[in-house]
Amino acid sequence: MTSQYNFKKITVVPTAAELKEVVLSKTQRKTPTVVHRQYAIGRIRAFYARKIKFLQQTLHDKLTQIINEFPKMEEVHPFYSDLMNILYDRDHYKIALGQMNTSRHLIDGIAREYVRLMKYGDSLYRCKMLKRAALGRMVKLLKRNKSSFDYLEQVRQHLSRLPSIDPGTRTLILCGFPNVGKSSFINNVTRADVEVQPYAFTTKALYVGHLDYKLLRWQVIDTPGILDQPLEDRNTIEMQAVTALAHLKAAILFMMDVSEQCDRSIEEQLHLFESIRPLFANKPVIVGLNKVDIMRRGDLPQEKAELLAKLEREGIPIVETSTVTKEGVIALRDKACDELLAQRVEAKLQAKKIVVSDDSILNRVFVAYPTPRDEKVRAAFIPPGVALKRAKRMAEAERADMEVDDDEATVPNNSAFRDENTRRLEREIELELEDNYILDLKKHYLLKNPEEKYDVIPEIWEGHNLADFVDPEIQKKLEALLHEEELLEKAGEYESDLDSDDDETKEKMKLALQIREKEKLLTLESQLTKSKAGRSGSRVISRKRDRSMSRLEEELGDLGVEIDVKRMKNLQGQCAKPQIGKKMKIGHSLKNQPKQAPPRDEQAMPDVEKRVKAKKMREKAIRSLKREARKGEADRHVFDLKPKHLFSGKRKQGKTDRR
């Protein structure tokens, strides 16, 4: 039985419509496409039977992949099994996979049936109809299971987002009421970035963080908040936490809010602890008394303090913590890890593999002990110089231990056991300074001038040091220029705050603004004219369309010219009247003018009958092209970005390894 399952490797489950398009297109591409009715009937039957078998094998492989890649409830760890039952409903999940398995068997049966019927096809048409019916029935099964494909894809997406929890490794589980500081604790001790908000049920799923303690890897699980209510009334969010507590062998950190800012009193939190206590069986339990920066345990009323004292008398340790000031956070982590390590070691000692019995390996191993030669005591010889140095180091160690405070007495002072020329380890300095420690990588630089250790490293650009191109006296020159400018202002050479907002300047600025706006309008008008000319075919024609009486009146009015509209209309009417008098012919005579060329279609085809016939043929061709544009949604077409199979010639029966 596998304890861990990699849900992120499950292949994407296509929809029923996508799978249908893929398998039909693949069958068309991977099998021969040319058959003639004059072929022998055995060859025609084999041609269509091959297509049926290929589609059946393709669907069989795809459905088998879906069935095998999804986890089986009976094979995964009980923690994952119950978690999937809570999130997806065990029955619905099994029904969906069962429908996949049933579809696979039905498709195999349909293919066998129609391959057997293909023996009775006596013509190309009947064989083709059998093939068509087989493919249709197999694809119809996919359409019936559309909801199962969609459901399994949603399950796959959710499974891939589940945290990777190893049920067999060293684990710490955080539990308690909502908003008591569980997510803040996991953010402090691990690199997890769990959302923290001042309201309940911010955490709605399981979150996992990792930490290192005593050179071992640990995982910390942040569970959603649990409410004090019967098991059958708990929702999906709470049941995730209950599942983790029930199935994972871990140390339990029950977080409590001593300040009662989570809207739950100490009595209610302890009642929840007692209600879920059966889940803590055979697991080390530590109570984390959080938010002591707001209220200390000693400030609690007598009856509440007595409840906590009673819990301690039952053998459950209580550690005061504050995730804001980080007080007691590391102590709570170390306490929980040590408790779990001690329990795991004790469990291994009690296992059957290490029990000392008559058949154990220890009784079959012979250990030889040397017998003393005589009763004379032969002590180890220590040279006088070595003994003197050792005594000196011990004296220095005692003196150093006397200097440290009581709080720092637990920090090992290994420097006293070193020679004077031995450099102190950075780890020792870090343990001594704790939070005030800052890593300094430059203090051991060996330079000719020790003062240059902390100088800024030169900045190099294209092989040049930028400091070489900076004038060292730039500040002095700037001060000299500012002083000179101040003297010129005092002498009256110029004024720094000249008023550029006089009436003349404002007028010029206004005129310049109008000129710029006019230029923009002319540019836009020119672009519009060009676009009109491009559509109509001639710029002159487009300009003629724009000429109107209203435009002339508007433009001349902008220039300051007044127009008498009545007089202009009278002139326009006089121009329209027929002129009285004799007409004069000016320019070339009509006899010398060149004749206008006939149209190009008449030049190409002078015969009238042939020209009419060609016109009818042209209209007929246009009608057939228009008919192609009336294709509807039922005209199926599989778009392929690289349709090599459509351009590289029809496939014949035979070898296919060259493709």
Side-chain angles (χ1 to χ4, degrees):
M1 182 176 67
T2 58
S3 63
Q4 198 173 12
Y5 204 97
N6 191 356
F7 300 118
K8 294 179 175 58
K9 287 188 177 181
I10 302 176
T11 311
V12 177
V13 180
T15 63
E18 290 174 354
L19 184 59
K20 180 192 73 171
E21 297 289 342
V22 167
V23 296
L24 289 178
S25 176
K26 190 174 182 181
T27 305
Q28 180 69 9
R29 289 184 291 113
K30 297 284 189 179
T31 54
T33 56
V34 176
V35 66
H36 299 291
R37 61 182 179 182
Q38 60 266 25
Y39 285 172
I41 189 63
R43 185 176 177 184
I44 295 174
R45 290 170 183 164
F47 175 87
Y48 287 111
R50 181 175 177 181
K51 288 184 177 292
I52 297 173
K53 291 178 182 177
F54 187 89
L55 181 66
Q56 175 262 330
Q57 189 62 45
T58 306
L59 288 175
H60 182 92
D61 294 344
K62 186 60 182 176
L63 295 176
T64 303
Q65 182 186 21
I66 293 173
I67 294 168
N68 292 339
E69 286 189 348
F70 274 88
K72 306 295 185 296
M73 289 285 190
E74 297 78 12
E75 295 179 0
V76 296
H77 192 273
F79 163 69
Y80 279 121
S81 179
D82 277 7
L83 187 64
M84 291 172 65
N85 183 29
I86 292 167
L87 297 174
Y88 317 122
D89 187 2
R90 186 196 310 267
D91 296 334
H92 196 174
Y93 178 77
K94 286 188 172 183
I95 287 172
L97 287 180
Q99 287 178 346
M100 295 291 109
N101 193 25
T102 304
S103 300
R104 182 177 61 176
H105 289 309
L106 290 175
I107 287 171
D108 295 345
I110 290 170
R112 284 195 302 271
E113 177 186 354
Y114 277 88
V115 168
R116 187 170 63 251
L117 289 174
M118 195 65 70
K119 293 188 298 183
Y120 302 101
D122 55 357
S123 66
L124 185 145
Y125 177 75
R126 290 185 177 176
C127 292
K128 182 178 180 180
M129 290 298 105
L130 286 172
K131 182 267 300 185
R132 189 172 177 181
L135 267 58
R137 284 186 62 185
M138 286 190 277
V139 168
K140 189 72 173 178
L141 282 173
L142 300 179
K143 190 175 179 181
R144 285 182 190 168
N145 297 325
K146 176 180 178 298
S147 58
S148 297
F149 282 101
D150 297 340
Y151 169 77
L152 288 176
E153 173 59 16
Q154 292 177 6
V155 171
R156 184 201 66 82
Q157 292 178 5
H158 198 283
L159 280 175
S160 65
R161 290 194 293 266
L162 282 180
S164 181
I165 298 175
D166 185 1
T169 191
R170 295 160 292 276
T171 308
L172 307 179
I173 298 179
L174 300 168
C175 64
F177 268 108
N179 204 22
V180 295
K182 301 185 295 295
S183 300
S184 301
F185 181 84
I186 192 175
N187 287 343
N188 282 331
V189 299
T190 68
R191 290 186 177 181
D193 187 13
V194 184
E195 184 182 3
V196 177
Q197 295 293 343
Y199 49 80
F201 285 111
T202 305
T203 304
K204 299 182 181 64
L206 298 177
Y207 287 91
V208 180
H210 295 85
L211 59 89
D212 292 326
Y213 179 72
K214 290 187 177 181
L215 303 180
L216 296 173
R217 194 71 166 168
W218 299 71
Q219 66 181 3
V220 185
I221 300 177
D222 181 20
T223 62
I226 307 174
L227 298 179
D228 190 7
Q229 55 187 356
L231 187 66
E232 58 271 10
D233 294 339
R234 291 195 168 113
N235 57 19
T236 302
I237 297 175
E238 296 175 90
M239 287 303 297
Q240 295 181 60
V242 173
T243 303
L245 292 172
H247 291 291
L248 296 180
K249 296 180 180 179
I252 309 299
L253 297 178
F254 186 81
M255 302 298 291
M256 292 179 60
D257 184 1
V258 70
S259 66
E260 299 182 354
Q261 287 189 350
C262 65
D263 298 332
R264 304 288 176 176
S265 64
I266 298 290
E267 293 84 353
E268 290 177 321
Q269 297 180 58
L270 289 174
H271 190 272
L272 172 66
F273 178 81
E274 293 296 335
S275 66
I276 62 174
R277 197 166 184 174
L279 298 174
F280 304 156
N282 301 324
K283 297 185 181 74
V285 182
I286 299 97
V287 174
L289 210 59
N290 196 22
K291 302 184 183 180
V292 296
D293 55 317
I294 301 173
M295 177 183 289
R296 292 280 173 180
R297 181 181 176 183
D299 301 336
L300 288 172
Q302 181 65 29
E303 59 274 8
K304 295 184 179 180
E306 181 60 30
L307 291 174
L308 294 176
K310 180 183 177 183
L311 199 63
E312 277 187 318
R313 286 195 295 271
E314 295 176 2
I316 297 174
I318 298 177
V319 181
E320 298 183 35
T321 63
S322 172
T323 55
V324 176
T325 61
K326 297 182 175 56
E327 175 188 351
V329 171
I330 302 301
L332 178 59
R333 180 204 69 179
D334 297 348
K335 179 73 174 174
C337 294
D338 292 338
E339 292 273 349
L340 185 61
L341 275 180
Q343 189 200 44
R344 288 169 70 94
V345 171
E346 185 180 356
K348 288 181 180 179
L349 289 174
Q350 294 176 356
K352 294 182 180 179
K353 294 182 180 178
I354 312 179
V355 171
V356 179
S357 60
D358 296 337
D359 300 330
S360 65
I361 190 67
L362 293 179
N363 289 333
R364 284 180 276 168
V365 175
F366 174 73
V367 181
Y369 294 96
T371 57
R373 187 169 51 188
D374 49 28
E375 296 182 357
K376 183 178 179 179
V377 178
R378 294 176 176 83
F381 173 73
I382 301 175
V386 175
L388 184 63
K389 285 185 179 180
R390 184 177 295 177
K392 184 180 178 182
R393 286 200 299 268
M394 293 298 293
E396 290 178 356
E398 291 177 0
R399 189 168 60 253
D401 290 339
M402 292 173 64
E403 292 175 357
V404 297
D405 298 330
D406 293 337
D407 295 338
E408 299 176 356
T410 56
V411 180
N413 190 5
N414 297 330
S415 60
F417 298 92
R418 301 176 181 274
D419 295 334
E420 296 179 356
N421 298 328
T422 305
R423 183 188 299 174
R424 291 184 65 192
L425 297 177
E426 288 293 325
R427 179 60 178 166
E428 297 175 5
I429 302 173
E430 182 182 1
L431 292 173
E432 181 180 344
L433 298 178
E434 292 185 352
D435 294 339
N436 298 325
Y437 172 73
I438 299 175
L439 180 63
D440 187 1
L441 299 176
K442 297 184 179 180
K443 62 183 178 183
H444 298 305
Y445 282 7
L446 300 176
L447 301 180
K448 187 175 182 181
N449 298 324
E451 298 84 10
E452 298 178 355
K453 285 183 181 179
Y454 297 98
D455 288 355
V456 179
I457 297 176
E459 187 175 355
I460 307 301
W461 183 72
E462 292 189 356
H464 301 288
N465 187 356
L466 296 183
D468 297 339
F469 297 92
V470 176
D471 192 350
E473 299 180 355
I474 187 72
Q475 292 293 334
K476 294 181 180 179
K477 292 181 179 180
L478 178 61
E479 292 175 1
L481 282 173
L482 293 174
H483 182 64
E484 183 181 355
E485 183 180 2
E486 186 178 354
L487 292 176
L488 289 174
E489 286 185 8
K490 290 180 179 179
E493 290 290 333
Y494 69 91
E495 296 180 8
S496 60
D497 52 348
L498 287 173
D499 187 12
S500 60
D501 295 337
D502 55 346
D503 295 337
E504 185 179 357
T505 306
K506 289 182 179 178
E507 190 69 28
K508 289 182 179 179
M509 295 292 289
K510 186 177 180 181
L511 187 60
L513 183 62
Q514 290 179 356
I515 292 172
R516 283 196 292 272
E517 290 178 353
K518 186 66 176 176
E519 287 178 349
K520 288 181 182 178
L521 289 173
L522 290 175
T523 304
L524 292 173
E525 188 177 352
S526 175
Q527 293 175 356
L528 184 62
T529 304
K530 288 180 180 178
S531 65
K532 285 182 179 179
R535 290 194 297 267
S536 59
S538 171
R539 191 177 302 175
V540 178
I541 295 173
S542 62
R543 284 179 180 171
K544 283 182 179 179
R545 291 174 183 168
D546 292 341
R547 294 171 187 166
S548 63
M549 192 68 187
S550 58
R551 182 181 173 188
L552 177 63
E553 181 183 352
E554 183 181 352
E555 290 182 354
L556 291 178
D558 292 341
L559 296 174
V561 181
E562 296 182 0
I563 304 176
D564 189 357
V565 182
K566 293 183 179 180
R567 185 168 178 275
M568 291 294 291
K569 288 184 178 179
N570 292 335
L571 289 174
Q572 190 176 5
Q574 291 176 7
C575 293
K577 291 180 181 179
Q579 299 293 329
I580 302 172
K582 189 176 181 182
K583 295 182 181 179
M584 295 178 60
K585 295 178 182 178
I586 302 173
H588 298 285
S589 62
L590 294 175
K591 295 180 180 179
N592 298 330
Q593 284 184 358
K595 291 184 179 180
Q596 190 174 4
R600 296 183 64 182
D601 56 347
E602 294 184 9
Q603 292 181 12
M605 202 173 291
D607 192 352
V608 179
E609 294 182 359
K610 291 183 179 180
R611 192 161 63 243
V612 171
K613 185 178 180 181
K615 186 177 180 181
K616 291 181 179 178
M617 292 173 65
R618 175 174 170 273
E619 291 175 354
K620 185 178 180 181
I622 291 174
R623 281 198 302 271
S624 64
L625 288 175
K626 287 182 179 179
R627 197 179 300 114
E628 287 291 323
R630 295 175 187 163
K631 283 188 176 181
E633 296 178 356
D635 298 305
R636 179 173 166 275
H637 179 62
V638 179
F639 291 95
D640 195 337
L641 298 179
K642 296 178 181 179
K644 179 184 175 184
H645 62 285
L646 300 178
F647 301 132
S648 58
K650 293 293 186 181
R651 284 185 59 170
K652 306 293 191 294
Q653 287 179 333
K655 292 184 179 179
T656 60
D657 55 354
R658 291 184 296 275
R659 286 175 61 83

